[in-house]
Amino acid sequence: MSQRLTSRMWLVAFLGIARRETLRFVNQRGRFLAALVRPLVWLFIFAAGFRAVLGLSITPPYQTYVLYEVYVTPGLCAMIQLFNGMQSSLSMVYDRETGAMRTLLVSPFPRWFLLLSKLVAGVIVSIIQVYTFLAIAWFWDVQPPRLGYLTVLPALILSGLMLGAMGLLLSSAIRQLENFAGVMNFVIFPMFFASTALYPLWRMRESSTLLHDICAVNPFTHAVELVRFALYAKFDLMSFSVVLGCLVLFFAGAVIMYDPSKGLWARRKGGT
């Protein structure tokens, strides 16, 4: 009986955090529209304009030549998750300023569980956004195999967790809301442009060996490739390993940094 009660308490705590994150997303309709408008602009305008300029050879997982908008779609899916992970972490900074986070962290549940619950809730929101984007892209002749819409789900979960954990880690080191917006731009745009979201690695190598190497070690590159292969019912072991490893590293760092006795807060408090 006690064990069932304890399990029920963990479930209630998780559902409470998930409900709060979902309500915040539902009440902020502009956030949902912005999450869709951004990749759709890239798909309808940028991809259409560069279709004739940027030629693509046959690269895995594609078995034939594809249009440029087909190539960039997985990268735009990952971009949705990247922005959502940062915006979800932005709410952590806001909750810290308003004192809501203090109420959350003093609960009897372990800190890793509270952070993981918020992380999972954010990933659920991002997946809804990605599938909405894919549904719209389908009418733009971006039509992966039907099985791909199912096989891409685990990849979206893993990549969303990794990008969300990275956002949590960044938010743990920032105390003021206005500073986080600048950090978001400093992280998001270099990660997005220095990846395979817009161009394959072989084209990067033709331009610059250094840029190719940067793109090859960029975690966002592997998140994009994981989604790209999964969308065509294929599995990329290298990308899976990198994304999983970065997820563990980022989340462990966030848990440590959000511990007042070990993280950055403790060092700042001691230094003031």
Side-chain angles (χ1 to χ4, degrees):
M1 181 65 180
S2 175
Q3 180 63 32
R4 288 200 299 269
L5 181 62
T6 302
S7 300
R8 182 171 178 270
M9 291 173 60
W10 284 66
L11 179 61
V12 169
F14 169 75
L15 293 178
I17 296 174
R19 181 175 181 272
R20 183 172 183 268
E21 188 71 17
T22 303
L23 288 176
R24 175 179 289 171
F25 171 72
V26 171
N27 293 331
Q28 297 175 350
R29 297 180 181 178
R31 175 180 169 185
F32 179 74
L33 293 176
L36 290 179
V37 169
R38 190 181 300 111
L40 288 176
V41 167
W42 281 87
L43 181 64
F44 295 159
I45 300 178
F46 180 87
F50 280 82
R51 178 193 298 179
V53 178
L54 299 175
L56 295 174
S57 65
I58 301 176
T59 57
Y62 310 109
Q63 298 180 350
T64 183
Y65 291 100
V66 295
L67 296 176
Y68 184 67
E69 49 262 45
V70 174
Y71 177 83
V72 299
T73 294
L76 298 179
C77 292
M79 182 180 73
I80 293 175
Q81 293 193 302
L82 177 61
F83 274 89
N84 184 81
M86 291 297 173
Q87 289 178 339
S88 180
S89 300
L90 178 63
S91 67
M92 296 288 284
V93 181
Y94 176 79
D95 290 343
R96 185 189 305 160
E97 288 191 345
T98 60
M101 185 187 298
R102 186 175 304 171
T103 304
L104 181 67
L105 294 180
V106 296
S107 68
F109 295 95
R111 188 164 287 104
W112 65 264
F113 171 75
L114 299 174
L115 293 176
L116 182 61
S117 298
K118 182 170 179 60
L119 186 59
V120 171
V123 171
I124 293 174
V125 170
S126 73
I127 289 177
I128 295 174
Q129 295 172 338
V130 169
Y131 272 104
T132 304
F133 168 72
L134 288 175
I136 298 174
W138 187 86
F139 292 98
W140 198 251
D141 290 332
V142 180
Q143 300 175 358
R146 293 184 179 180
L147 180 61
Y149 290 100
L150 179 62
T151 57
V152 77
L153 180 58
L156 291 175
I157 294 174
L158 187 59
S159 61
L161 288 173
M162 188 269 286
L163 296 171
M166 182 183 66
L168 282 179
L169 181 59
L170 290 174
S171 69
S172 68
I174 300 172
R175 304 185 64 179
Q176 295 181 342
L177 192 62
E178 56 271 17
N179 292 339
F180 191 72
V183 173
M184 282 178 59
N185 293 329
F186 181 77
V187 172
I188 288 177
F189 290 107
M191 287 193 69
F192 178 70
F193 287 107
S195 72
T196 56
L198 302 178
Y199 323 101
L201 280 178
W202 66 264
R203 183 166 289 278
M204 297 291 186
R205 185 184 293 109
E206 288 182 350
S207 174
S208 169
T209 302
L210 177 60
L211 180 59
H212 168 271
D213 295 340
I214 293 174
C215 293
V217 299
N218 183 358
F220 186 71
T221 288
H222 296 281
V224 170
E225 293 307 306
L226 184 67
V227 173
R228 189 188 310 280
F229 275 76
L231 196 56
Y232 289 85
K234 296 183 179 180
F235 179 70
D236 187 347
L237 179 59
M238 173 62 72
S239 296
F240 172 80
S241 303
V242 173
V243 172
L244 181 61
C246 289
L247 166 60
V248 174
L249 181 64
F250 293 153
F251 185 72
V255 172
I256 294 174
M257 295 295 285
Y258 270 101
D259 188 343
S261 64
K262 299 178 181 179
L264 189 62
W265 292 359
R267 294 197 294 272
R268 286 183 174 177
K269 185 177 180 181
T272 56

